[in-house]
C-alpha cells in the first residue's frame, strides 16, 4: 500500500486499535460487541476458531446467568407464598392470647367475662383492619350484587332496592369480596 491508500490513523491518536481485548463482553454489551476479523488473511481458521470459542464461552456464561436469575426469582416467589400470611398472623396472636386468658378464668363473673369478650372482639376487628380486611355492613344502603347477597325481599317504607336488614356481615380485602353480606332488600 502506498501512503495515500493507507487509512488515516491520525484522526484520534489516543483511540486503541480494534481488538477483542479492549471490548467489554458482559451480557449487557454482547449485542454491541464487534467481531474481529482483522487477521483473517493471515490464518483464517485459527482466527475463526478463536472467535467461535470466545462466542461460545460468552453464550455459556449468559445462559448460566439467566438460569441463576430464573432460580433466584423462583425462590423469591416461593418465599413470598410461604410467608405471605406472616403479618396477618402477627396481628391475630394477641387475639388468641386474650381468648386463652378468658378460657382460664374461673371466677364465674358474667359481667367480667362479657367485658373481656367485647375487648377481644375489638382486638380481632383491629387485627383484621390492620391486615386490610374490611367489614361490609350495608344496612340502609342501596343493594349492590357485587358486595351483597339478597336472601329475600320484603315490603318496607324504604325505597325499593335498599338494604332493610343485614343477616350476616360481609368482608372484603381491597376490592375483592371475601364473603358477601347476607341481606334482606326492600321491594
Amino acid at each position: 500500500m502506498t501512503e495515500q491508500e493507507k487509512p488515516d490513523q491520525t484522526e484520534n491518536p489516543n483511540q486503541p486499535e480494534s481488538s477483542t481485548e479492549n471490548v467489554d463482553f458482559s451480557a449487557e454489551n454482547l449485542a454491541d460487541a464487534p467481531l474481529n476479523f482483522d487477521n483473517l488473511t493471515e490464518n483464517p481458521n485459527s482466527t475463526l476458531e478463536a472467535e467461535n470459542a470466545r462466542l461460545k464461552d460468552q453464550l455459556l456464561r449468559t445462559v448460566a446467568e439467566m438460569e441463576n436469575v430464573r432460580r433466584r426469582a423462583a425462590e423469591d416467589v416461593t418465599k413470598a407464598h410461604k410467608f405471605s400470611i406472616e403479618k396477618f398472623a402477627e396481628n391475630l396472636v394477641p387475639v388468641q392470647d386474650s381468648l386463652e386468658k378468658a378460657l382460664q378464668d374461673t371466677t364465674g363473673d358474667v359481667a367480667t367475662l362479657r367485658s373481656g369478650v367485647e375487648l377481644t372482639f375489638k382486638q380481632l376487628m383491629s387485627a383484621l383492619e390492620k391486615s386490610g380486611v374490611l367489614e361490609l355492613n350495608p344496612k340502609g344502603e342501596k343493594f349492590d350484587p357485587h358486595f351483597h347477597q339478597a336472601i329475600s325481599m320484603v315490603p318496607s317504607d324504604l325505597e325499593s332496592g335498599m338494604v332493610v336488614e343485614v343477616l350476616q356481615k360481609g368482608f372484603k380485602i381491597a376490592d375483592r369480596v371475601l364473603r358477601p353480606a347476607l341481606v334482606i332488600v326492600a321491594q
Side-chain angles (χ1 to χ4, degrees):
M1 273 191 202
T2 66
E3 285 295 320
Q4 293 174 347
E5 293 175 351
K6 286 186 180 178
D8 185 19
Q9 294 179 354
T10 59
E11 289 180 14
N12 190 352
N14 295 329
Q15 182 179 3
E17 290 183 28
S18 177
S19 167
T20 57
E21 292 142 12
N22 296 328
V23 179
D24 179 10
F25 289 109
S26 63
E28 295 84 23
N29 295 323
L30 183 60
D32 300 328
L35 298 177
N36 184 7
F37 295 110
D38 293 342
N39 299 331
L40 191 58
T41 56
E42 294 175 12
N43 191 350
N45 285 339
S46 64
T47 303
L48 289 175
E49 287 171 0
E51 192 67 23
N52 189 23
R54 183 190 62 78
L55 290 173
K56 280 184 181 178
D57 178 63
Q58 186 62 44
L59 175 66
L60 290 175
R61 290 175 189 274
T62 302
V63 167
E65 179 63 26
M66 294 307 297
E67 183 62 27
N68 287 339
V69 168
R70 186 203 58 76
R71 182 186 46 77
R72 278 187 232 115
E75 287 174 1
D76 289 346
V77 168
T78 300
K79 285 179 184 177
H81 286 296
K82 187 176 181 180
F83 298 111
S84 63
I85 197 165
E86 182 177 17
K87 181 107 172 110
F88 182 67
E90 285 176 2
N91 291 332
L92 282 183
V93 169
V95 175
Q96 188 269 341
D97 292 340
S98 295
L99 289 172
E100 191 172 24
K101 286 180 184 176
L103 289 173
Q104 292 172 353
D105 180 36
T106 58
T107 62
D109 184 10
V110 176
T112 304
L113 183 62
R114 179 172 178 79
S115 174
V117 169
E118 287 173 353
L119 290 174
T120 303
F121 178 73
K122 287 179 183 177
Q123 262 185 325
L124 176 62
M125 294 309 294
S126 174
L128 290 172
E129 191 174 302
K130 285 178 185 175
S131 298
V133 179
L134 302 176
E135 183 181 276
L136 298 174
N137 189 4
K139 187 171 184 176
E141 296 177 8
K142 181 127 178 91
F143 176 76
D144 183 350
H146 295 103
F147 297 106
H148 313 140
Q149 181 176 349
I151 299 302
S152 66
M153 293 184 80
V154 295
S156 174
D157 296 337
L158 294 174
E159 179 184 328
S160 179
M162 299 296 283
V163 175
V164 175
E165 186 178 344
V166 177
L167 301 175
Q168 185 180 54
K169 294 176 185 176
F171 292 92
K172 68 177 184 170
I173 295 178
D175 291 331
R176 181 181 290 181
V177 176
L178 291 175
R179 180 181 78 188
L182 298 180
V183 298
I184 296 175
V185 182
Q187 281 182 332

